[in-house]
Amino acid sequence: MGDPRGFIKHGRRDKTLQPVHSRLQNFDEHYNYPSEEKVKTQAARCMDCGVPFCMTGCPLGNLIPEWNDLVYRGQWKQALTALHATNNFPEFTGRVCPAPCETSCVLGINEPPVTIKLHEVSIVDKGFEEGWIRPHPPTHRTGKSVAIIGGGPAGLACAQQLNRAGHNVTVVEKSDRAGGLLMYGIPHYKLWKQRVQRRIDLLVAEGIEFRYSCEVGKDVTFDEIKSSFDAVVLATGAEEPRDLPVEGRELKGIHFAMEFLPQQNRACWGDNNVAALHPRQRLVNAKGKKVIVIGGGDTGSDCIGTSMRQGATSVFNFELLEHPPAERSPNNPWPQWSRIMRVSTSVEEMHVLGGDVYYEIMTTRFIGRDKNVTGLETVKVKWENGRPEKIPGSEQIWKCDLVLLAMGFLGPRSELIKQAGCETDQRSNIVTNPKTRMSSVNGVFAAGDCRRGQSLVVWAISEGREIARCVDEYLTGNESLLPQVRLEPFDY
């Protein structure tokens, strides 16, 4: 490393958040990024540690020490090359990834870890600013064609890799824009949608075809797709939401998170007339409402932040699981992902209205009047032998007129999976060969959440790259795409 004593001389200085009241006024990205010189100083904290556990913590196996050193030396263009060597979309992961690399950082054993995400996003943003990131169409075509069903991060990464290998790639997307949860799930204030569209425009310029508003299984049969291409990749995600089938569930005002979040993202794009775009979809807005978000993960946090910006009068968050510890427990040692208490920016915003996150709490019924939800009843629980046990006498009534269910996703349950005939496991995930990543149907592969279950964006990109390598070998008999540059990572 350029400065072997950098981690001794400099403390951790990450990007900063805009003040709560300021950022609640709009849906703009809410971070302030430091100057190039300050980023270079932070890159100097990367140690010459010998065994870079940050690389094993990252599902992509990013060459983190290499591009940290290049940033420290001011060699930004070379750093961008090293970054893109393993990550197709660092402008996404640099903003929305929870950074398992940082919790695996050797410096993080007894000091605040290196600001890896800061360096990642600084490199790619500078690449766009300087015009270094341009379309690079392949110089030859193999004559082989691949259909990728699903335009989320797994499908997009797979498409770009296969296009680089010279195959003709068509992405079939059921929505009117590609990006999946990057476009319609993650709020605008965390990931500006123009950044997503910018990358998709580059893929189009490189020769990838996108077929929008086409749901395979409904608008076109799977057999029609399979018969038209040499290989098919299923990258549909795991979109079946976990429901809460308790008394009163049929009341109006109770919605899944993915009924709520896409509407605001469309509004940020300018698609204000959501009713005209999706006549069967109920309009959901938190303005002037008492909101309860059930589910304490990232999606729940996104619902909180969006509700606050829309003008909710109150927001509360319920989580069935136990309150996380402040520090690592003995059975959660470094370099594993640290299962500790983290306060998201949205929860910080919720505190302004007097809201809070309530742990070990279970919703037992919804209460309504005139077919509309007006409240819900909860009971406190205690976890015994891995199961929540209700605590008698702890029942409580909460007033609300909007409930958002953000309890995760069950799997890729769709007509497409039935038509494809692929073998699935008990969780409805598509079963694939561990080596070839092919499903039980010849020539049909699976990538991302529909194969491994609900996971991170960085895992989706990793899956897309690896499946692209397997598809390329299937089509050509050769390995023109390199395997992932990583050891077997920790599975988060």
Side-chain angles (χ1 to χ4, degrees):
M1 302 305 296
D3 187 352
R5 294 178 60 84
F7 70 97
I8 299 174
K9 296 189 295 184
H10 309 293
R12 178 183 169 105
R13 297 290 184 272
D14 206 346
K15 58 187 178 295
T16 59
L17 274 166
Q18 296 172 8
V20 170
H21 289 288
S22 173
R23 64 182 190 251
L24 284 177
Q25 302 306 309
N26 53 64
F27 282 86
D28 295 339
E29 288 187 357
H30 52 216
Y31 284 107
N32 297 316
Y33 289 90
S35 65
E36 282 187 18
E37 286 304 312
K38 291 181 178 179
V39 174
K40 289 168 65 175
T41 299
Q42 287 301 300
R45 298 183 71 238
C46 186
M47 306 166 67
D48 189 8
C49 58
V51 181
F53 281 86
C54 57
M55 290 178 63
T56 59
C58 175
L60 286 164
N62 280 333
L63 308 176
I64 296 166
E66 181 174 332
W67 40 260
N68 278 344
D69 184 53
L70 290 167
V71 168
Y72 166 72
R73 298 174 185 276
Q75 298 175 359
W76 292 91
K77 195 170 186 178
Q78 294 90 326
L80 180 65
T81 299
L83 180 57
H84 270 150
T86 57
N87 189 349
N88 299 69
F89 315 123
E91 68 271 32
F92 305 156
T93 53
R95 287 178 166 84
V96 302
C97 181
C101 54
E102 292 190 12
T103 63
S104 300
C105 173
V106 173
L107 181 58
I109 296 175
N110 61 347
E111 293 286 343
V114 175
T115 51
I116 298 171
K117 271 182 66 174
L118 172 64
H119 310 159
E120 178 181 22
V121 76
S122 298
I123 293 167
V124 69
D125 283 357
K126 185 173 180 62
F128 276 111
E129 290 168 7
E130 297 292 335
W132 297 333
I133 301 175
R134 301 187 301 273
H136 294 286
T139 56
H140 74 285
R141 289 293 181 183
T142 64
K144 301 290 185 178
S145 61
V146 183
I148 298 176
I149 304 176
L156 294 178
C158 186
Q160 185 169 50
Q161 292 297 101
L162 287 170
N163 186 65
R164 287 170 173 171
H167 306 303
N168 295 307
V169 179
T170 299
V171 178
V172 185
E173 169 57 49
K174 68 178 182 180
S175 186
D176 55 345
R177 295 186 181 97
L181 292 182
L182 294 171
M183 181 66 77
Y184 288 129
I186 298 169
H188 203 84
Y189 61 83
K190 289 172 65 175
L191 178 62
W192 198 41
K193 301 311 159 192
Q194 283 80 352
R195 300 188 194 280
V196 182
Q197 190 60 49
R198 175 178 60 185
R199 184 62 79 165
I200 293 167
D201 291 343
L202 281 168
L203 299 183
V204 171
E206 289 178 346
I208 298 173
E209 179 187 350
F210 285 84
R211 192 181 301 176
Y212 295 115
S213 301
C214 180
E215 184 171 356
V216 181
K218 291 185 179 180
D219 300 314
V220 61
T221 67
F222 178 77
D223 285 342
E224 289 179 85
I225 293 292
K226 189 173 185 299
S227 63
S228 302
F229 294 87
D230 296 306
V232 177
V233 177
L234 304 179
T236 60
E239 294 186 321
E240 182 72 18
R242 181 175 282 107
D243 206 347
L244 187 57
V246 298
E247 179 186 344
R249 174 62 180 88
E250 75 284 354
L251 293 168
K252 295 179 181 178
I254 304 171
H255 302 272
F256 291 117
M258 287 306 294
E259 291 178 306
F260 173 64
L261 296 173
Q263 293 186 13
Q264 183 57 59
N265 281 346
R266 287 186 175 281
C268 289
W269 259 115
D271 298 344
N272 292 311
N273 195 356
V274 177
L277 287 168
H278 299 277
R280 292 174 295 176
Q281 187 170 334
R282 295 170 291 180
L283 295 180
V284 189
N285 194 286
K287 185 175 182 179
K289 295 183 179 179
K290 297 183 288 291
V291 180
I292 292 180
V293 178
I294 301 178
D298 288 340
T299 306
S301 175
D302 294 344
C303 289
I304 293 169
T306 300
S307 297
M308 295 287 294
R309 284 163 176 77
Q310 288 183 351
T313 57
S314 68
V315 184
F316 293 96
N317 187 207
F318 295 164
E319 172 56 68
L320 181 64
L321 300 177
E322 298 173 292
H323 194 292
E327 298 179 351
R328 289 180 182 270
S329 59
N331 63 353
N332 178 216
W334 176 91
Q336 292 179 357
W337 168 254
S338 55
R339 296 186 290 273
I340 60 174
M341 180 62 188
R342 292 176 171 85
V343 178
S344 72
T345 62
S346 296
V347 169
E348 179 188 7
E349 294 160 4
M350 180 174 61
H351 290 160
V352 173
L353 284 184
D356 206 349
V357 182
Y358 293 84
Y359 291 89
E360 295 182 283
I361 188 169
M362 177 188 291
T363 301
T364 55
R365 68 185 177 103
F366 296 107
I367 304 167
R369 185 174 59 249
D370 299 328
K371 298 183 179 181
N372 294 301
V373 67
T374 58
L376 56 79
E377 184 179 47
T378 63
V379 62
K380 293 182 180 178
V381 300
K382 184 177 182 180
W383 285 84
E384 299 284 354
N385 300 318
R387 297 182 64 86
E389 300 294 338
K390 296 179 181 179
I391 300 175
S394 63
E395 293 81 5
Q396 184 175 354
I397 302 294
W398 305 74
K399 292 182 179 181
C400 62
D401 40 31
L402 176 60
V403 178
L404 300 172
L405 305 180
M407 302 177 295
F409 301 88
L410 297 176
R413 300 175 183 177
S414 67
E415 180 63 27
L416 163 62
I417 305 300
K418 295 178 184 177
Q419 290 187 12
C422 300
E423 179 187 353
T424 56
D425 62 18
Q426 292 181 341
R427 296 186 176 184
S428 79
N429 298 323
I430 299 171
V431 176
T432 60
N433 182 294
K435 183 178 180 180
T436 66
R437 301 299 176 94
M438 189 186 295
S439 73
S440 58
V441 179
N442 186 53
V444 178
F445 301 77
D449 289 2
C450 69
R451 192 192 76 85
R452 62 176 287 112
Q454 180 189 2
S455 192
L456 307 175
V457 170
V458 67
W459 263 114
I461 297 172
S462 174
E463 286 265 313
R465 291 175 61 90
E466 180 65 12
I467 274 66
R469 182 188 66 82
C470 294
V471 173
D472 177 57
E473 186 175 2
Y474 165 77
L475 292 174
T476 65
N478 300 309
E479 286 195 27
S480 62
L481 295 172
L482 295 176
Q484 290 294 85
V485 187
R486 60 173 168 80
L487 302 175
E488 188 60 30
F490 299 107
D491 198 351
Y492 307 113

